[in-house]
Amino acid sequence: MMLQRKNRRALALGVLAVSGALALTACGSDNNSGGGSGSKSSAAAAPGNIKCGDAQGQLQASGSSAQKNAIDAWNTQYGQACKGVQLNYNPTGSGAGITAFLQGQTAFAGSDSPLKPEEIAQSKKVCSGGQAIDLPMVGGPIAIGFNVPGVDSLVLDPSTLAKIFNGKITNWNDAAIKKLNPSAKLPNLKIQAFHRSDESGTTDNFTKYLIATAKSDWPYSGGKAWQAKGGQSAQGSSGLAQQVKQTAGAISYFELSYAADGVKTVDLKTGAATPAKATVENATKAIASAQVTGTGKDLALKLNYEPKEDGAYPLTLVTYEIACDKGNKAATLPAVKSFLAYTASEDGQKMLTDASYAPIPAEIISKVRTTIEGLS
């Protein structure tokens, strides 16, 4: 699937204002067989293909900051169609989002890593008669942003990248970086490597890439929490992007939609003849080779960090919406199904390209749509 990236800037909007409606919470033990609150359907007023059904009230969700710009873009259209629903998405990070969901505080969560077995087991306490499942919804490259005065283009390979973030390469004119960038005027400048301070699926995917491609230079087990010593930290993808933008010598990792306002990104050296650029199109090439590893209704994916296709950008992530397959509260279920059905729809997925994200490949997103229809 070939995609055209129209804009590097994410579609901007504010989260819709909160009204006095009672906040809806996530999965629980309430009987959900009613399938809604009995309100008048707003489907007839919905523009395009957005189906509101009986959805209404506030919808609380939190998690991945990587997908915030996608959520905002979707919410613009969805809010205009389904005026009875007010989505409040808090980009607290994948770890915090899953925790809130498992505590019954939110209707769904966003995570850049699939659920762990112990998290699925725990979810059965809030998903009455069911469990939490992974619904892949947003794809895209994890960009490596850098701020090196006088350098507009930079190529790095997995080993060099691992050594930079592990504190083994500390200066921008290091011989290893020079070898990869013979024509660049690399300054005698200290490297300022920034990582996430919060638990993050972006960190998990970034370190999975280093483990898969440069294990000898990245001797860590990986996970949502940063494990390497040294470096500096910031909260969320937006925090990392801001540090890169304002700090000479900085380098960090974040979803491509945050690489705006002049933030330059690294080209990654792969087995192909030409280094791969961090673009939506190149990320889609890599994500298309992912395999579904979840069982039942769970659609967790195993990403391919060493794609063979020319141009495929190997450092990608997929953001999942975490929801109960069964056991959703009757009051929240219509809004959850309505909103997620829109995000997984053809129109919803098309919007991702404008916001510098990659749509989920057709053969996978079709399974997501079917699964959402069956949520109860």
Side-chain angles (χ1 to χ4, degrees), residues 43-107:
N49 296 319
I50 299 176
K51 298 179 181 179
C52 305
D54 293 325
Q56 65 172 355
Q58 280 190 42
L59 193 60
Q60 303 290 347
S62 65
S64 166
S65 63
Q67 73 164 354
K68 180 184 182 297
N69 293 330
I71 292 284
D72 286 351
W74 283 326
N75 202 15
T76 299
Q77 299 301 315
Y78 183 79
Q80 291 174 358
C82 304
K83 299 184 184 298
V85 180
Q86 295 175 338
L87 172 66
N88 182 11
Y89 183 81
N90 191 357
T92 54
S94 297
I98 290 176
T99 297
F101 176 81
L102 293 177
Q103 293 175 348
Q105 299 173 4
T106 54

Side-chain angles (χ1 to χ4, degrees), residues 16 23 142 145 237 275 308 312 326 339 359 370:
L16 297 176
I142 299 175
S237 295
K308 303 300 182 183
K326 298 178 181 179
F339 180 73
T370 300

Side-chain angles (χ1 to χ4, degrees), residues 191-270:
I191 293 175
Q192 306 284 349
F194 286 88
H195 59 266
R196 288 281 287 269
S197 60
D198 53 319
E199 289 198 358
S200 162
T202 310
T203 293
D204 191 16
N205 281 279
F206 176 53
T207 55
K208 280 180 179 176
Y209 166 74
L210 296 179
I211 292 169
T213 58
K215 180 61 178 177
S216 61
D217 298 308
W218 192 257
Y220 305 102
S221 60
K224 294 185 179 71
W226 186 258
Q227 295 175 323
K229 305 298 182 182
Q232 302 179 65
S233 64
Q235 176 83 20
S237 295
S238 59
L240 292 182
Q242 183 61 30
Q243 289 297 333
V244 170
K245 186 177 179 181
Q246 68 187 20
T247 306
I251 186 170
S252 191
Y253 57 93
F254 34 79
E255 207 281 329
L256 181 62
S257 68
Y258 290 90
D261 299 325
V263 175
K264 303 178 183 68
T265 61
V266 169
D267 296 344
L268 291 178
K269 185 174 177 58
T270 66

Side-chain angles (χ1 to χ4, degrees), residues 70-333:
I71 292 284
D72 286 351
W74 283 326
N75 202 15
T76 299
Q77 299 301 315
Y78 183 79
Q80 291 174 358
C82 304
K83 299 184 184 298
V85 180
Q86 295 175 338
L87 172 66
N88 182 11
Y89 183 81
N90 191 357
T92 54
S94 297
I98 290 176
T99 297
F101 176 81
L102 293 177
Q103 293 175 348
Q105 299 173 4
T106 54
F108 67 90
S111 176
D112 304 322
S113 296
L115 292 162
K116 298 176 181 178
E118 58 268 27
E119 291 170 337
I120 293 176
Q122 186 179 347
S123 73
K124 295 179 181 180
K125 296 179 180 179
V126 292
C127 300
S128 180
Q131 65 179 45
I133 56 173
D134 299 286
L135 300 171
M137 198 70 73
V138 182
I142 299 175
I144 305 298
F146 69 95
N147 181 350
V148 183
V151 179
D152 294 324
S153 178
L154 187 69
V155 174
L156 294 176
D157 60 14
S159 175
T160 304
L161 191 62
K163 290 176 181 177
I164 287 174
F165 280 91
N166 198 26
K168 302 302 182 183
I169 293 179
T170 59
N171 203 286
W172 280 110
N173 65 354
D174 187 273
I177 303 177
K178 284 184 175 180
K179 184 177 180 180
L180 292 166
N181 302 272
S183 61
K185 295 182 179 179
L186 296 165
N188 182 14
L189 178 66
K190 182 180 178 181
I191 293 175
Q192 306 284 349
F194 286 88
H195 59 266
R196 288 281 287 269
S197 60
D198 53 319
E199 289 198 358
S200 162
T202 310
T203 293
D204 191 16
N205 281 279
F206 176 53
T207 55
K208 280 180 179 176
Y209 166 74
L210 296 179
I211 292 169
T213 58
K215 180 61 178 177
S216 61
D217 298 308
W218 192 257
Y220 305 102
S221 60
K224 294 185 179 71
W226 186 258
Q227 295 175 323
K229 305 298 182 182
Q232 302 179 65
S233 64
Q235 176 83 20
S237 295
S238 59
L240 292 182
Q242 183 61 30
Q243 289 297 333
V244 170
K245 186 177 179 181
Q246 68 187 20
T247 306
I251 186 170
S252 191
Y253 57 93
F254 34 79
E255 207 281 329
L256 181 62
S257 68
Y258 290 90
D261 299 325
V263 175
K264 303 178 183 68
T265 61
V266 169
D267 296 344
L268 291 178
K269 185 174 177 58
T270 66
T274 305
K277 295 184 178 296
T279 68
V280 168
E281 180 181 60
N282 289 345
T284 299
K285 291 180 180 179
I287 294 172
S289 62
Q291 296 180 335
V292 176
T293 57
T295 58
K297 295 181 180 180
D298 188 90
L299 296 174
L301 301 175
K302 181 180 180 180
L303 297 175
N304 179 10
Y305 294 111
E306 297 182 281
K308 303 300 182 183
E309 185 176 357
D310 187 50
Y313 184 80
L315 181 47
T316 62
L317 62 74
V318 168
T319 299
Y320 301 89
E321 311 311 333
I322 309 297
C324 293
D325 60 354
K326 298 178 181 179
N328 292 277
K329 281 192 172 182
T332 64
L333 181 60

